[in-house]
Amino acid sequence: MACKRGALIVLEGVDKAGKTTQCKKLVQALQQSGSPAEMMRFPDRTTTIGQLISAYLEKKSDLEDHTVHLLFSANRWELVPLIKKKLEQGTTLVVDRYAFSGVAFTSAKPGFSLDWCKNPDVGLPKPDLVMFLKLSPAEAAQRGQFGEERYETSAFQKTVQQKFEHLMNDSSVNWQVIDASKSVDDVHEDITTHSLNTINTAQNLQLGELWK
Ligand code: Z5A
């Protein structure tokens, strides 16, 4: 019998919502329960394209806005063969940010439509579940100051949040909003429940194509 595929699970959310904390905890919990799981994150700063993005985010270089948007997308496409291979092998992938961040961040800049921003990512492996970790700007502020990287200002993050809310109106994507203001353990419990349901259903479904 062919091996059952893993699920593609994405965590999105505003700055400091706890995405990385929760991705790590979810992968650990799945592995401990005997369910193969690995974490990925975007941007993946380890590739050649990822290094260009990283220098841009760290403000060590400047890139034209359309160009950097396409680089973020290319950074996802270059990992598609690996994503598909892992899923086919039965490994669930827990992904820290994906195309939704790509669209939300670029469309928060002046002169960018959501449609233009979505186009380069059309056809990527479609996540079986996208959990949006919702946290108010006031609660995010209590988790520390903004860092030094590009985009880390409260005005820009507010616009990004509005763009995410727009994207969440799309019923072709399996969005779940998670209350990220709860304790780390309570958020983990919510995320694990949604993930286990998704892993069960995804194994009998074909992997879809995003925004197609
Ligand atoms: N970007 C883009 O423009 N285009 C794209 O296509 C993609 C990304 C994919 C990448 O940043 C930047 O690139 C990002 C979007 C843009 N820019 N911004 N802003 P990154 O991935 O390198 O880093 P990040 O995603 O911005 O990390 P983050 O948002 O700052 O953090 P987080 O992962 O959501 O949270 P965390 O690191 O797990 O936790 C933050 C702190 O809160 C930490 O001290 C925790 O201990 C604490 N924490 C976490 N959970 C809790 C709870 N429940 N209660 C209390 N405290 C908590």
Side-chain angles (χ1 to χ4, degrees), residues 43-186:
D44 179 336
R45 302 187 193 218
T46 64
T47 70
T48 305
I49 293 171
Q51 282 161 22
L52 292 174
I53 294 170
S54 189
Y56 170 81
L57 288 171
E58 290 169 19
K59 299 183 193 157
K60 290 179 181 157
S61 70
D62 279 324
L63 287 167
E64 193 276 332
D65 287 329
H66 299 79
T67 310
V68 75
H69 182 74
L70 296 173
L71 286 176
F72 272 112
S73 177
N75 185 229
R76 286 182 278 280
W77 279 107
E78 66 180 334
L79 287 158
V80 166
L82 182 65
I83 291 174
K84 287 188 169 167
K85 189 172 136 202
K86 296 271 181 198
L87 295 175
E88 276 162 21
Q89 287 172 342
T91 300
T92 286
L93 294 177
V94 177
V95 185
D96 189 348
R97 294 192 186 273
Y98 198 56
F100 313 97
S101 278
V103 175
F105 277 78
T106 303
S107 67
K109 297 177 178 178
F112 284 88
S113 70
L114 278 183
D115 278 347
W116 188 90
C117 294
K118 280 163 93 171
N119 255 322
D121 285 314
V122 169
L124 278 177
K126 181 175 170 176
D128 299 294
L129 171 66
V130 187
M131 288 178 279
F132 183 79
L133 273 57
K134 194 167 182 181
L135 190 70
S136 71
E139 287 161 323
Q142 285 173 3
R143 293 187 184 174
Q145 299 293 312
F146 281 115
E148 294 295 309
E149 287 207 334
R150 212 178 281 266
Y151 304 146
E152 294 188 339
T153 67
S154 67
F156 191 74
Q157 294 284 335
K158 217 175 259 178
T159 315
V160 171
Q161 168 115 22
Q162 287 162 1
K163 301 295 178 185
F164 270 125
E165 274 159 20
H166 209 89
L167 286 171
M168 282 190 268
N169 290 329
D170 174 3
S171 59
S172 78
V173 173
N174 181 17
W175 286 99
Q176 290 291 339
V177 177
I178 304 290
D179 179 358
S181 67
K182 297 201 244 176
S183 73
V184 170
D185 285 343
D186 286 350

